Structures are given as structure tokens and as C-alpha cells.
Amino acid sequence: MRSKLFVPGSRPELFAKAMASEADALSFDLEDAVDEARKGEARRELAKFLRTLPANCGKTIIVRVNGIETAHFEEDIAAIVGPGLDLVNVPKPESPDDIREAAGVIYKAEREAKVAEPIGILANIESPRAYRLAAEIATADPRVKGLQVGWGDLIEPLSMDRYNPAAIEAMLVWIRIAAGEAGIFAYDGAFANIKDVEGYQREAEMSRRLGYLGKSAIHPSQVPLANAVFRPTDAEIAHSLKVVEAAAKAKAEGVGAFTVNGRMVDGPFIRRAEAILELARRLGLITKDERSIE
């Protein structure tokens, strides 16, 4: 999920175009992108579209619903739950209890819709309190698969400079560690200045170095930028292939730690190399059985 493209739920004419895009994931938005007067209409249109999607449609399908404190939340969940939905993006949770409440509503909707595969939760970190409790939110329920930074809601009310790299990096680190405690992914939020291509790339590169899975895109032009940044490099793939090959040899010889290209390697480095190769194979960068790269 290198890239995740936001799609307003009130713009059904964009749904098919988004499905045809290069984005790894689509985040259909019933919250901030939809005017209050059109919430019901957007919900109905999106539900109709989701019913046409099979499971494993080739993209990760996410819906950002309205917050649990709103009158729309349960109606949103009831409308969107189905085999074509992978993640519910829960906005503005303030505590682990909010996540557990959301999980209960999703579970009820799954039972009523006879959905066998549990739908995950992508929890937004969008307030100072949520930021402080990020690890507790991440570990609140097994349905939580990832934490996502909500830059606008988190930063703007504090009068912080959105484009201060030092501040952004510090917050990214905190949320990544919180996600790591739960063993789930961390996902970078939106970059509002669509024309600032270099700024988007810099921020994406920062989050990738910190172990983020990918970055949101609010415009189709940002999708290829995210895809390029979060693609494993040829050097990373080549090194990972060597690590995995050396690890198999070391295991056969009963060796715990070893070196590859002058770098010490043990368990955590092997797992990282395996994850890089898994992504490379999924993207078609190497074959299933490939042992080397030019």
C-alpha cells in the first residue's frame, strides 16, 4: 500500500476512474470531503458502488467514515460493510474505548451482512490526546491494522508550521513507535500543497526512512510520487537477496549472527530483508524464486 488516493464519497463519477488509477489503495471519504447536507446521498452512492466490488479486487479498499461521536457513524458502517471492504478508517478517535466501540459496531454489521472475513480498522491520530495515547489506540483491538497521521486536524489547531521538517519527523517517529508496539503498520497522511512536488517527495522519503508503509494522496498526480518513493530500490533488493541466502546457509551451519557486505546480520535484519523481498515480488520487481538481481 505505497499510495492511497482519497476519493470524495459525494463524487460517484470519480469512483471508476480511481479504480483504474495506479494507486495501491483507495480511501473513499464520507467525512470531511462531504458536506453535511449530502452525507446520506454520498453514503448511498458509495454503498451501491462497493456492492459491485469482489473481495481481493486488486486494490486495498478503505472508507473513511464519519466519527463515532456523530449521528452518521452507525449508518455509515451498516451501509459500507461487505466483502469488497478491507479497512474502515476511523477518524478522530480520542481513546482506546473509541476504537473498541467502533470495533463492536463493525462486528454487528458484519454479522448482519454475513461477512466472514473480519474488516480491519485504520485509526487516525488527529488530536493531542490521540497522539499521547497512540500506543493504547494501536493496541485497543485486534481489528486495528494501522495508525494514520491526520496532519490537518493534528497540527492546524495548534498553530504549528505544517511544513517544519523537524516537527513532522518527531511526530512521525512517535506514531511509528506506537504502531510498532502493536505490530501494525503506520501510514503517512496528506500533503495539501499539490503543486509542491518536491515537498511531497521529501516528506514521503522521510516517512519511508522511518518505516512507514506509504503516503496518502489527495490528487492523482501524487500517486506516482508515492509509488516511486515506497518502491524497494534495486540496491535494497540485491542486499536483501544476499541476506536471505546467507541466512539459509548460516542456519544450516548453526550460526546465529553473520555478516553481509560488511554489515552484521541477525534476526531483525533477516526479517526486514524478507519483508523487502515480499514487497518486491508483489510488485513484480523480482520473480518468486529469484536469487539475484543485476
Side-chain angles (χ1 to χ4, degrees):
M1 201 163 79
R2 300 164 299 168
S3 55
K4 175 173 65 62
L5 178 63
F6 276 103
V7 185
S10 56
R11 299 285 304 279
E13 72 275 13
L14 299 179
F15 295 173
K17 292 180 180 179
M19 288 295 295
S21 74
E22 297 178 357
D24 290 346
L26 301 179
S27 183
F28 295 96
D29 190 10
L30 294 176
E31 194 210 15
D32 288 346
V34 180
D35 183 82
E36 182 67 27
R38 301 189 64 191
K39 296 284 189 184
E41 175 191 349
R43 183 188 303 122
R44 289 189 296 273
E45 290 294 334
L46 181 57
K48 187 191 309 181
F49 177 75
L50 292 177
R51 295 294 181 269
T52 69
L53 297 180
N56 304 315
C57 67
K59 292 188 185 297
T60 300
I61 301 298
I62 305 166
V63 175
R64 181 167 74 170
V65 295
N66 290 282
I68 61 171
E69 78 287 353
T70 70
H72 302 290
F73 180 75
E74 292 195 19
E75 288 186 74
D76 286 351
I77 297 297
I80 65 173
V81 162
L85 180 65
D86 297 301
L87 295 168
V88 173
N89 183 199
V90 177
K92 304 176 180 66
E94 288 291 295
S95 70
D97 287 341
D98 287 348
I99 296 299
R100 286 188 280 268
E101 180 180 344
V105 174
I106 295 169
Y107 174 71
K108 178 183 177 183
E110 286 173 342
R111 291 190 63 184
E112 292 177 354
K114 295 182 171 58
V115 175
E117 190 69 25
I119 295 166
I121 289 175
L122 174 59
N124 282 7
I125 303 300
E126 298 185 279
S127 72
R129 188 165 192 263
Y131 181 80
R132 176 170 60 84
L133 298 176
E136 294 180 40
I137 288 171
T139 57
D141 190 273
R143 285 184 187 271
V144 181
K145 305 302 180 185
L147 296 182
Q148 177 173 257
V149 190
W151 292 122
D153 287 287
L154 179 58
I155 286 181
E156 294 301 325
L158 303 177
S159 300
M160 293 176 64
D161 180 358
R162 168 63 183 86
Y163 303 104
N164 179 340
I168 296 301
E169 184 171 25
M171 287 184 277
L172 286 172
V173 170
W174 176 266
I175 293 169
R176 179 66 187 95
I177 294 297
E181 180 176 341
I184 61 177
F185 67 82
Y187 208 85
D188 196 5
F191 191 89
N193 190 347
I194 298 169
K195 294 183 179 180
D196 187 1
V197 173
E198 292 183 359
Y200 184 95
Q201 289 175 319
R202 281 195 303 271
E203 194 163 282
E205 287 165 359
M206 179 191 299
S207 62
R208 184 181 189 269
R209 288 194 302 272
L210 295 174
Y212 276 66
L213 185 63
K215 185 167 179 61
S216 301
I218 60 171
H219 189 273
S221 65
Q222 294 176 330
V223 168
L225 303 177
N227 285 348
V229 168
F230 289 93
R231 170 202 184 278
T233 67
D234 288 349
E236 288 173 326
I237 296 170
H239 179 71
S240 297
L241 286 164
K242 290 179 181 179
V243 167
V244 170
E245 184 176 356
K249 181 180 178 182
K251 183 177 181 180
E253 296 174 352
V255 176
F258 52 93
T259 61
V260 173
N261 294 335
R263 306 181 201 175
M264 191 277 289
V265 174
D266 59 8
F269 298 93
I270 296 169
R271 290 189 289 274
R272 174 61 179 153
E274 290 171 341
I276 288 172
L277 295 181
E278 180 184 357
L279 177 57
R281 291 187 176 103
R282 194 160 64 242
L283 296 175
L285 303 176
I286 58 174
T287 64
K288 181 179 179 181
D289 300 316
E290 189 164 346
R291 298 290 180 181
S292 63
I293 185 168
E294 296 299 329

